[in-house]
């Protein structure tokens, strides 16, 4: 695993290097970005928010990293405790937020646990960068990882509302079920109200006309789609 | 000449009646613009109904069939277009517009029957009365007044019931009188006509006026709440400020003792002083709890956030607003409904966060194009039904809020709402298309 650090204060650089020995240290955002682009594998990136007294450089760097790299884990190490976790988590999907202004033992403990969590996360992703898929959402669109999507279903109350069920979350967007199968070949319509991600189907029961997903959810399969579904899942 | 006028009258009469009815109906529905196709089809149906109704031999059928059927047609149109959801309100508006449509002509007929005039004059007066009815209806439409009292009527069921019953009663009375008029047992009375008009006007204006009064009271209450919220906010700022002053005072002392420690090269002294300053500064220094509202241009939005901040504070939910650039969306400025939408979303967020272990609500406002409300929650929710009318995760709640939000978003092309539900977070993301 490769570790990268963006930090301009020499003392802090040494402090972190003391905890993580094989950490590559940068004090220029551009140099860091170039190095990150060169390294294709999943990494753990530690960022300071304030570089050379310019506020929020770290945040912008994080956003730039996210444009080309979605699997690396970002940890923010900063004195700026007023930058609140939630926003950062939302914007850049960072994993942890560590305040520099705490006693050394605490700091070490927090940093190590954050790094362990980041490594775990990377291992869970298997180091493969998943395909991003853009789902239309009214006039805007919503980007999701293809292998995160389990199935999609229309809402009971409104036909143009759609719920996308992912592994860890569900998202409601404004589009029609009908338009989904055209977005990707893995999206299979099994019912007027259901579209499943092909790779998430674990079983198909032609008698009961149900499709079972790998997380245990049972979905009905309409007669209209029975034939096409059978061809896909039953050999 | 008389023959021509008579035939002309027979043909145009139902046309006038039907168009007047439609105009009144759309005015009462809050200046609703029907599509051209609807208008054409509806007026054709009404025309045929009135035509058939007028050609019946039996006076009873002639009097009652057309009016009853036209109320039915208006009701059906309103229901199909789902302009307003409450069927009783629709029925009320349909019967009131039919009453209004017939009133002018009825009045004119009463007058002419009381003062016996030649047939020729009466026919031309009929025609004039029809034109007058159209003009009256159009004038009221011109007023551009916000009639819509649906939400008010929805809330006050009994009042609605009374209005509905009285309007239907009037309709029946009118039909009865028309029947007597046709069989010439009744010669018409001006008093009855004026009584009818005043009742109709009362049916229309009583809810409008009491609605306005309620809105006014609401506004005053809201003002009070806002005042209280900003006052307690100022108080909190003041306490923070005095804490800072204390800290500043302490800080100088600590620096002095540090200097002493350094001068005497007593490392343990330096260490203990240093850690005490770190601990203290962590306790007092920058507190993200202080809202960063100076970037919000819209005063109403600002005070709304303040009020909700106070609510959260009382429920010991930590409420953060993150905003780092000027936030100003022209499209939503002074749109009362928009504030209500944001209010509903924040209320939901606070209530849901209250039950979670880590009680936090975060509101992000970014680059004039996104408002994101994130709250902690206990479990992942079933998004397929949250916006359904009547669905609520809370006890004793009507489940009206999110449905209202959804309707608002559907009505506005430049706003998109995305809901994300995770294990521990619930996110409402509102995106704006800036033009």
């Amino acid at each position: 695993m490769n570790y990268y650090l963006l930090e301009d204060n020499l003392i802090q650089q040494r402090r972190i290097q003391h905890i993580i020995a094989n950490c590559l240290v940068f004090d220029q955002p551009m140099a860091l970005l170039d190095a990150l682009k060169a390294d294709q594998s999943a990494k753990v990136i530690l960022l300071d928010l304030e570089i050379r007294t310019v506020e929020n450089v770290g945040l912008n760097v994080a956003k730039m990293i996210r444009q080309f790299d979605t699997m690396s884990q970002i940890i923010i190490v900063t004195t700026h405790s007023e930058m609140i976790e939630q926003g950062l988590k939302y914007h850049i999907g960072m994993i942890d937020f560590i305040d520099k202004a705490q006693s050394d033992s605490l700091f070490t403990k927090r940093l190590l646990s954050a790094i362990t969590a980041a490594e775990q996360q990377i291992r869970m992703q298997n180091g493969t960068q998943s395909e991003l898929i853009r789902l239309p959402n009214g006039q805007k669109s919503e980007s999701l990882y293809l292998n995160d999507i389990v199935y999609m279903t229309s809402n009971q109350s409104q036909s143009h509302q759609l719920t996308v069920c992912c592994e860890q979350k569900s998202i409601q967007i404004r589009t029609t079920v009908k338009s989904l199968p055209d977005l990707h070949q893995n999206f299979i319509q099994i019912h007027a109200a259901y579209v499943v991600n092909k790779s998430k189907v674990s079983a198909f029961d032609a008698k009961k006309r149900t499709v079972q997903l790998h997380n245990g959810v049972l979905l009905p399969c309409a007669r209209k789609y029975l034939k096409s579904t059978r061809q896909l899942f039953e050999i | 000449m008389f023959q021509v006028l008579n035939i002309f009258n027979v043909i145009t009469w139902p046309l006038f009646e039907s168009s007047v009815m439609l105009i009144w109906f759309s005015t009462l529905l809050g200046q609703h613009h029907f599509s051209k196709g609807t208008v054409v089809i509806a007026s054709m149906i009404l025309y045929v109904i009135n035509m058939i109704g007028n050609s019946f031999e039996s006076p009873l059928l002639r009097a009652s069939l057309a009016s009853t059927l036209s109320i039915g047609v208006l009701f059906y149109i309103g229901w199909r277009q789902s302009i307003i959801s409450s069927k009783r309100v629709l029925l009320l508006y349909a019967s009131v517009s039919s009453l209004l449509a017939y009133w002018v002509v009825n009045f004119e007929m009463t007058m002419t029957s009381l003062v016996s005039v030649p047939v020729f004059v009466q026919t031309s007066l009929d025609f004039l009365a029809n034109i007058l009815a159209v003009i009256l209806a159009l004038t009221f439409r011109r007023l551009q007044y916000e009639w819509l009292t649906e939400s008010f009527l929805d809330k006050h069921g009994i009042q609605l019931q009374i209005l509905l019953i009285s309007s239907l009663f009037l309709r029946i009375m009118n039909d009865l009188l028309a029947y007597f008029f046709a069989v010439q047992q009744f010669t018409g009375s001006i008093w009855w006509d004026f009584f009818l008009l005043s009742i109709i006007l009362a049916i229309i204006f009583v809810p409008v006026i009491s609605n306005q009064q309620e809105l006014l009271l609401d506004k005053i209450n809201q003002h009070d709440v806002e005042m209280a919220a900003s006052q307690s906010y100022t108080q909190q700022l003041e306490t923070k400020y005095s804490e800072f002053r204390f800290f500043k005072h302490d800080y100088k002392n600590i620096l002095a003792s540090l200097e002493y420690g350094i001068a005497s090269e007593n490392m343990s002294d330096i260490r203990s002083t240093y850690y005490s300053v770190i601990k203290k500064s962590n306790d007092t220094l920058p507190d993200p709890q202080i809202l960063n509202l100076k970037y919000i241009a819209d005063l109403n939005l600002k005070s709304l956030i303040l009020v909700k901040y106070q609510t959260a504070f009382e429920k010991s939910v930590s409420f953060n607003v993150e905003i780092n650039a000027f936030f100003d969306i022209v499209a939503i400025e002074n749109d009362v409904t928009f504030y209500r939408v944001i209010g509903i979303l924040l209320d939901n967020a606070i209530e849901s966060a209250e039950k979670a272990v880590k009680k936090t609500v975060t509101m992000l406002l970014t680059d004039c194009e996104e408002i994101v409300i994130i709250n902690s929650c206990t479990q992942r929710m079933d998004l397929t039904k949250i916006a359904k009318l009547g669905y609520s995760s809370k006890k004793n709640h009507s489940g009206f809020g999110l449905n209202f939000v959804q309707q608002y978003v559907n009505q506005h092309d430049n706003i998109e709402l995305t809901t994300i539900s995770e294990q521990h977070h619930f996110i409402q993301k509102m995106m704006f298309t800036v033009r």
Side-chain angles (χ1 to χ4, degrees), chain B residues 135-176:
Chain B
I135 290 170
L136 267 181
L138 283 176
T139 332
F140 264 90
R141 206 179 153 70
R142 282 267 139 185
L143 282 179
Q144 296 282 334
Y145 188 71
E146 276 286 320
W147 299 100
L148 204 69
T149 45
E150 189 215 354
S151 54
F152 172 81
L153 288 171
D154 258 346
K155 268 186 277 172
H156 299 74
I158 300 168
Q159 198 166 344
L160 174 61
Q161 213 100 8
I162 293 170
L163 292 175
L164 188 58
I165 288 170
S166 51
S167 73
L168 288 178
F169 172 74
L170 284 182
R171 184 66 262 165
I172 292 165
M173 269 308 276
N174 232 14
D175 288 349
L176 257 175

Side-chain angles (χ1 to χ4, degrees), chain A residues 56 81-82 84-88 90-91 99 101-104 137-140 142 153-158 161 163 165-174, chain B residues 275 278 282 286 288 320 322 362 364 366 370 372 374 380-381 383-388 406 410 413 416-423 425 427 429 431-433:
Chain A
N56 286 344
S81 55
E82 72 266 35
I84 305 135
E85 290 181 65
Q86 273 305 325
L88 289 168
Y90 174 78
H91 282 305
D99 193 354
Q102 51 190 341
S103 69
D104 218 36
N137 181 16
Q139 294 181 345
K140 309 258 178 176
E142 203 62 37
T153 175
S154 64
N155 284 12
Q156 295 166 356
S157 49
Q158 274 151 325
Q161 289 285 342
T163 299
C165 293
C166 298
E167 298 284 0
Q168 296 298 325
K169 59 181 180 185
S170 22
I171 301 177
Q172 194 175 69
I173 57 176
R174 197 154 69 94
Chain B
Y275 282 119
I278 290 272
N282 276 348
N320 301 316
E322 289 180 36
T362 310
L364 309 176
T366 38
E370 254 184 16
V372 185
I374 307 171
R380 202 166 139 182
M381 264 187 260
L383 292 182
T384 53
K385 47 188 179 203
I386 50 165
K388 207 173 170 186
Q406 203 60 258
N410 288 350
D413 289 339
E416 292 298 338
L417 180 77
T418 303
T419 311
I420 304 171
S421 172
E422 293 172 14
Q423 197 64 41
H425 291 114
I427 303 169
K429 182 159 82 169
M431 291 165 286
F432 303 91
T433 314

Side-chain angles (χ1 to χ4, degrees), chain B residues 24-51:
Chain B
W24 275 117
F25 192 52
S26 79
T27 311
L28 287 172
L29 284 175
Q31 317 284 351
H32 183 81
H33 286 277
F34 292 109
S35 65
K36 259 185 198 149
T38 325
V39 171
V40 171
I41 291 172
S43 28
M44 259 163 58
I45 295 172
L46 288 173
Y47 182 79
V48 170
I49 287 173
N50 282 322
M51 202 71 169

Side-chain angles (χ1 to χ4, degrees), chain A residues 41-45 65-66 69-74 122 125:
Chain A
S41 65
K43 323 162 255 292
V44 176
I45 304 161
I65 293 172
R66 279 291 173 244
D69 182 352
T70 50
M71 54 179 177
S72 292
Q73 299 297 318
I74 297 175
I122 289 172
Q125 287 170 354

Side-chain angles (χ1 to χ4, degrees), chain B residues 102-232:
Chain B
Y102 289 123
W103 187 82
V104 179
V105 181
N106 281 355
F107 182 67
E108 178 266 343
M109 281 170 95
T110 320
M111 292 289 278
T112 48
S113 69
L114 287 177
V115 195
S116 53
V117 286
V119 186
F120 175 71
V121 178
Q122 190 183 341
T123 320
S124 7
L125 276 178
D126 285 350
F127 181 63
L128 281 179
N130 275 324
I131 289 179
L132 189 68
V134 176
I135 290 170
L136 267 181
L138 283 176
T139 332
F140 264 90
R141 206 179 153 70
R142 282 267 139 185
L143 282 179
Q144 296 282 334
Y145 188 71
E146 276 286 320
W147 299 100
L148 204 69
T149 45
E150 189 215 354
S151 54
F152 172 81
L153 288 171
D154 258 346
K155 268 186 277 172
H156 299 74
I158 300 168
Q159 198 166 344
L160 174 61
Q161 213 100 8
I162 293 170
L163 292 175
L164 188 58
I165 288 170
S166 51
S167 73
L168 288 178
F169 172 74
L170 284 182
R171 184 66 262 165
I172 292 165
M173 269 308 276
N174 232 14
D175 288 349
L176 257 175
L177 286 181
Y179 167 71
F180 287 134
F181 190 77
V183 296
Q184 307 209 321
Q185 283 175 1
F186 175 67
T187 46
S189 114
I190 299 181
W191 292 117
W192 165 252
D193 278 327
F194 276 114
F195 172 71
L196 185 66
L197 183 65
S198 52
I199 298 283
I200 296 172
L201 290 183
I203 289 176
I204 297 173
F205 285 111
V206 163
V208 171
I209 289 168
S210 42
N211 187 28
Q212 288 301 323
Q213 190 212 351
E214 227 165 67
L215 285 180
L216 224 73
L217 280 178
D218 266 9
K219 240 183 201 163
I220 293 168
N221 281 340
Q222 195 196 344
H223 219 81
D224 285 352
V225 174
E226 274 170 20
M227 282 289 284
S230 62
Q231 239 161 34
S232 76

